[in-house]
Amino acid sequence: MAESKKLSSSSTTTTNRTNLWAGLLFLVVVPVVVAVVLYRVDEFDAASLPEFSLSWASVTVSKHNSRLLNVSERVGDGLLPGPEDLAYDAESGFIYTGCDDGWIKRVKLNTDESGGADHVKVENWVYVGGRPLGLAFGPDKQLVVAESVKGLMKVTREGEVQLLTDEADGLKFRLTDGVDVAEDGVIYFTDASYKYNLTEHLLDILEGRPYGRLMSFDPATNTTQVLVRDLYFANGVTLSPQNDFLIFCETLLRRCSKYQIRGEKKGSVDIFVDNLPGFPDNIRYDRDGQYWIALATGKSLSWDAIMRYPLVRKTIAMLARVVKLPLMQGDGGMIAVDLKGQVMALYTDPDLSSVTGGFKIGDHLYYGSLVETYISRLDLTQHAATSRASS
């Protein structure tokens, strides 16, 4: 009897262990199988980005201020929800910005450039609705607005809002983004994606296909023309000092390119600056020999892996539908580039992200954000980038 009980106990232990391993195997294998099946049947199809855009390296930067947040002032704190792009009217002294609440707001510094950023006046100027992004004044002093959903708009000096164009070649704009206006009144602008809107822009980045376009609108003939197709999240636009070419940014490729407007090379596209240390948004010329490019977030090993591997991007897209994922952003800021595309200075911060546009006025650098409630201001005479990263 004792021997029989011993054998029975041993058999039960073996069975329990077998059941335990079977259960663990089930818990591991089944989710993996389900994940593989879901991955295969999911319609989201991430593509490989061009090989030239996947460099692990970044352009050389000789001067850097890497602690931008510590030395920046807040202009209009709490009154400017998401000041995405900035436009400056030197005659009136107003800075205009498009905000997340659909208002074009304007900011007037009540003191001279040496005054504090707290002494400002913020006004709700004109309501355009939606989500205004790029802003630019034309030679007639009327403000052109790239409203992300509705399209390209104009605000007259009397405050009337007019829709200029919302499609090209029969294809509606989904994410009207950057804009600038030439001296002859022709408007140059981008549609970042004709597939995804602003709330879906992460999907455009994760899919990795060229849905962006660079376009022009001529008010004299009321015509919209596609200048460059197949761009990877076409973003900021700015004209050269002589209006003979323009610079536009492609966020996914970390580069800005030159489009020739006039001359023997009219219509040609050349690289202006690439391998940027972050993902570019808007770009502006400061009328002092430099272009200022906003970097929404800095380049990192995480972003390198995301951009390099379509499998990673598809997985992230699938997970984003059910859980809120961390943004993995940081080291955003502004980078100054000269007229030949040479990097002059970089201003970043490890805790800074979603920087979307900015420019230099006098001795100060102003920059906006997609998510903050203020415009940031930096005194360049006190906190200029140096050959060593600021501590």
Side-chain angles (χ1 to χ4, degrees):
M1 288 289 294
E3 183 66 24
S4 176
K5 287 181 180 180
K6 185 176 181 181
L7 289 173
S8 177
S9 175
S10 176
S11 176
T12 300
T13 302
T14 302
T15 300
N16 288 340
R17 287 177 178 174
T18 301
N19 290 339
L20 177 61
W21 281 110
L24 291 174
L25 189 63
F26 178 84
L27 291 174
V28 172
V29 172
V30 170
V32 170
V33 171
V34 171
V36 170
V37 171
L38 290 176
Y39 184 90
R40 288 183 176 276
V41 301
D42 194 280
E43 294 182 355
F44 187 85
D45 186 20
S48 297
L49 291 170
E51 187 63 32
F52 67 80
S53 71
L54 301 176
S55 171
W56 298 101
S58 293
V59 66
T60 301
V61 177
S62 59
K63 295 183 178 181
H64 191 188
N65 178 339
S66 63
R67 289 292 183 268
L68 188 56
L69 286 177
N70 292 347
V71 290
S72 293
E73 303 173 277
R74 297 183 177 186
V75 177
D77 194 5
L79 301 175
L80 300 167
E84 203 270 350
D85 193 18
L86 311 178
Y88 180 58
D89 179 15
E91 186 176 322
S92 66
F94 278 108
I95 295 175
Y96 292 75
T97 185
C99 292
D100 193 39
D101 57 5
W103 280 90
I104 304 297
K105 300 175 190 279
R106 60 183 186 180
V107 182
K108 175 73 172 183
L109 298 180
N110 293 331
T111 61
D112 60 24
E113 280 291 316
S114 63
D118 292 334
H119 301 140
V120 301
K121 181 180 180 181
V122 178
E123 302 176 354
N124 286 337
W125 183 56
V126 172
Y127 182 75
V128 299
R131 198 0 169 155
L133 298 177
L135 304 178
F137 279 104
D140 56 2
K141 291 295 183 180
Q142 298 184 100
L143 185 68
V144 177
V145 180
E147 200 285 306
S148 62
V149 177
K150 299 174 187 177
L152 194 68
M153 311 175 83
K154 178 177 72 174
V155 181
T156 67
R157 281 169 288 188
E158 294 74 31
E160 180 186 357
V161 180
Q162 301 174 357
L163 178 65
L164 300 177
T165 179
D166 62 357
E167 66 175 72
D169 292 349
L171 197 59
K172 288 278 190 180
F173 311 153
R174 293 297 302 278
L175 213 173
T176 324
D177 203 334
V179 66
D180 203 2
V181 187
E183 294 172 354
D184 61 4
V186 175
I187 301 167
Y188 296 91
F189 66 104
T190 57
D191 181 22
S193 175
Y194 60 75
K195 181 176 181 178
Y196 296 101
N197 61 33
L198 183 61
T199 59
E200 303 166 329
H201 78 278
L202 179 60
L203 293 178
D204 186 283
I205 293 171
L206 294 175
E207 185 173 337
R209 283 187 166 80
Y211 296 125
R213 296 178 291 174
L214 172 69
M215 291 168 284
S216 66
F217 175 77
D218 189 346
T221 59
N222 200 38
T223 56
T224 306
Q225 181 180 0
V226 179
L227 305 176
V228 186
R229 295 176 172 81
D230 302 327
L231 300 176
Y232 289 84
F233 207 89
N235 214 316
V237 180
T238 194
L239 285 145
S240 67
Q242 288 76 37
N243 282 209
D244 53 343
F245 64 87
L246 61 81
I247 308 297
F248 65 91
C249 301
E250 287 178 275
T251 302
L252 265 68
L253 304 187
R254 291 190 296 115
R255 75 177 183 184
C256 299
S257 299
K258 177 193 294 187
Y259 175 83
Q260 201 71 32
I261 297 173
R262 299 197 304 263
E264 294 181 359
K265 297 182 66 178
K266 180 179 179 180
S268 65
V269 178
D270 299 297
I271 302 301
F272 181 67
V273 59
D274 61 356
N275 289 328
L276 288 168
F279 295 87
D281 200 300
N282 285 307
I283 178 172
R284 281 283 175 259
Y285 179 62
D286 67 2
R287 302 184 183 279
D288 195 28
Q290 293 185 126
Y291 295 100
W292 290 89
I293 305 169
L295 301 178
T297 189
K299 180 180 180 294
S300 66
L301 289 176
S302 297
W303 276 109
D304 281 343
I306 290 170
M307 293 295 100
R308 183 171 289 272
Y309 303 112
L311 184 149
V312 174
R313 283 187 270 119
K314 180 170 181 174
T315 302
I316 292 174
M318 293 173 62
L319 290 173
R321 297 177 191 149
V322 293
V323 296
K324 186 174 182 179
L325 300 175
L327 294 178
M328 299 178 293
Q329 293 184 323
D331 282 318
M334 300 289 299
I335 189 168
V337 181
D338 69 14
L339 296 177
K340 295 182 178 179
Q342 298 298 312
V343 173
M344 304 300 292
L346 176 64
Y347 295 83
T348 64
D349 194 280
D351 297 320
L352 185 59
S353 64
S354 299
V355 178
T356 46
F359 46 59
K360 179 173 171 283
I361 304 174
D363 294 325
H364 292 81
L365 172 65
Y366 292 83
Y367 58 97
S369 167
L370 192 65
V371 298
E372 302 295 352
T373 60
Y374 52 85
I375 295 171
S376 296
R377 169 174 134 158
L378 177 73
D379 187 340
L380 292 170
T381 64
Q382 299 293 321
H383 305 292
T386 63
S387 56
R388 290 183 178 182
S390 300
S391 58

